[in-house]
Amino acid sequence: MLLVAAGITHSRERAWVGAAYAILSLLIYWATLGEPVLWANLAAIIAIPASVRYYRTTCKGDALIVPALPAMIVGAAVASAWLWVTQWTVARHGSAMLTIAWALLAPCVFAAGLLLRERVYRLGGFLILFLAMGRIFIVDVWRLETIFRILSFLVLGVVLLALGFVYNRFASTIRKWL
């Protein structure tokens, strides 16, 4: 809310306090890894990049803080969302469904990056997809039962095909954004 207020009032000091509070809250979230997975945590994680985006679109000129700081906050929020999805999946379904959860999260983050025209989201989506691909070849092939192994490869294949289609369809536009 401090970043939203900084966007409304064009206050550089309020923006610095809001950025520090956002970073501190994400650090506290990462420090409490053993706690139960709460939907309120996900809502707070999603609110951080939304407030950063609002601040960046409303403030221009002198009111802006260091240009790299909002991108770092959004990157940390994407990583925190990945961690939340990981914790939620393990708590509800066990580690067998983790690759599927990551493979479903990656295109959501990537699509957000395309819609918002933000590079941080697109890179985060690619990184999450890379983690899912690595997990499928390192962990899932050896540990999972046949049905979960098939599901992991199937979901990851569909996601890769969909991203390949989107990239080929909008290649020139995506090249400008990347």
Side-chain angles (χ1 to χ4, degrees), residues 6-168:
I8 293 170
T9 62
H10 302 288
S11 169
R12 186 183 187 109
E13 293 79 19
R14 192 171 287 158
W16 276 107
V17 172
Y21 185 76
I23 292 168
L24 181 64
S25 63
L26 290 174
L27 287 174
I28 290 171
Y29 174 72
W30 279 77
T32 59
L33 290 179
E35 298 295 318
V37 182
L38 303 173
W39 286 96
N41 289 345
L42 181 62
I45 290 169
I46 292 172
I48 290 173
S51 63
V52 168
R53 176 141 178 101
Y54 179 79
Y55 166 73
R56 287 178 57 195
T57 56
T58 57
C59 281
K60 305 289 185 218
D62 292 340
L64 284 174
I65 54 178
V66 179
L69 187 60
M72 290 183 344
I73 293 171
V74 169
V78 169
S80 298
W82 168 81
L83 179 64
W84 188 92
V85 167
T86 301
Q87 288 179 313
W88 184 84
T89 304
V90 170
R92 300 292 185 271
H93 305 290
S95 64
M97 300 296 283
L98 202 52
T99 304
I100 294 171
W102 290 354
L104 294 174
L105 177 65
C108 294
V109 173
F110 185 78
L114 289 177
L115 292 173
L116 298 173
R117 296 181 185 214
E118 292 279 341
R119 186 171 194 240
V120 176
Y121 293 105
R122 292 189 303 272
L123 293 176
F126 281 135
L127 181 63
I128 293 168
L129 187 62
F130 177 74
L131 289 172
M133 288 174 34
R135 180 174 167 79
I136 202 167
F137 289 113
I138 294 171
V139 176
D140 291 351
V141 169
W142 308 110
R143 289 184 44 207
L144 292 181
E145 296 176 24
T146 305
I147 188 69
F148 290 119
R149 191 177 315 148
I150 291 169
L151 281 174
S152 292
F153 276 106
L154 187 66
V155 169
L156 188 60
V158 167
V159 167
L160 288 172
L161 282 172
L163 283 176
F165 173 76
V166 167
Y167 182 76
N168 282 329

